[in-house]
Amino acid sequence: MSKPTVGVLAVQGAFIEHERRLSEAGASPVELRCAADISADLDGLVLPGGESTTQLKLLHELGMFEPMLDMIQAGTPVMGTCAGMILLAEDVEGGAANGFRTLPIRVLRNAYGRQLGSFSAEGIYQPTGQEMELRFIRAPRIESVEDGVETLVSLDGQPVAVRYGNQIACAFHPELTDDLTLYEEFLKI
Ligand code: GLN
């Protein structure tokens, strides 16, 4: 079987680290920098961390928003991390982000960020109960989830990574640790 090709949004934020992790997990990453890079050949999409308002502005300016939304709505697997999760969330508190809104969760921007900035923590990968090292950087908090949204990783009993159909989203940065679990989960889809 050939390697899945995964498009990584590369207009702003932590996309290079995602490309490394995707390669380690057995995928072929390609950078998405303009509308012409978005093709039906892509097996999946990754929305990296960064600054969601800047990313959204660029997505619209570059004409990338609509084609990406079409792909996500058509069921192309997508993984959104941190700012990427904000772009997927149906409801966003703490400052405007009118993103794709395909994932029925409510998030609060910069919820962990103001007091703590960045930190590491041990979460639990729910499908196996194993511990997972998590890195947070001015992270959004998942405030609530709708029916059908599965918790993949929890921290202190609260969801910090979720899955809904072909969409995976997490508040932390899986590209900054050695743990490939979430990428493997994503590539399975
Ligand atoms: N604070 C950023 C935002 O609201 C997200 C932070 C991150 O992606 N590391 O967009």
Side-chain angles (χ1 to χ4, degrees):
M1 217 176 73
S2 63
K3 288 183 179 186
T5 304
V6 178
V8 182
L9 180 64
V11 294
Q12 193 268 344
F15 50 90
I16 291 166
E17 292 83 353
H18 274 299
E19 291 170 39
R20 284 200 200 111
R21 293 287 169 269
L22 285 163
S23 299
E24 287 165 13
S28 299
V30 294
E31 293 187 354
L32 308 180
R33 293 177 175 278
C34 62
D37 295 336
I38 302 168
S39 89
D41 298 342
L42 298 172
D43 298 307
L45 298 169
V46 168
L47 307 174
E51 191 55 44
S52 54
T53 32
T54 309
Q55 292 179 349
L56 210 47
K57 191 167 166 280
L58 289 167
L59 280 172
H60 283 292
E61 280 175 16
L62 296 164
M64 297 172 80
F65 184 86
E66 289 297 333
M68 287 184 91
L69 176 61
D70 287 347
M71 284 184 77
I72 297 167
Q73 283 176 336
T76 302
V78 61
M79 177 160 85
T81 64
C82 206
M85 175 172 84
I86 295 170
L87 294 190
L88 290 173
E90 220 166 78
D91 283 307
V92 177
E93 288 175 43
N98 220 343
F100 299 115
R101 307 188 66 190
T102 49
L103 179 63
I105 62 173
R106 191 169 81 231
V107 300
L108 175 61
R109 285 184 66 196
N110 302 319
Y112 297 105
R114 286 214 176 86
Q115 312 84 337
L116 296 163
S118 309
F119 64 98
S120 294
E122 291 292 333
I124 304 287
Y125 180 62
Q126 292 295 326
T128 60
Q130 267 169 334
E131 285 206 335
M132 198 185 225
E133 191 201 344
L134 313 175
R135 261 325 139 70
F136 292 85
I137 304 172
R138 286 179 60 75
R141 186 168 59 221
I142 299 173
E143 299 268 85
S144 65
V145 303
E146 297 290 322
D147 286 349
V149 178
E150 176 197 353
T151 298
L152 286 180
V153 182
S154 63
L155 176 65
D156 299 332
Q158 298 301 311
V160 287
V162 294
R163 174 174 172 178
Y164 178 72
N166 288 353
Q167 303 178 64
I168 287 179
C170 58
F172 55 90
H173 285 260
E175 78 281 11
L176 298 182
T177 58
D178 294 333
D179 196 324
L180 292 176
T181 308
L182 221 58
Y183 291 95
E184 286 160 0
E185 181 91 28
F186 175 57
L187 293 178
K188 268 193 267 165
I189 313 178

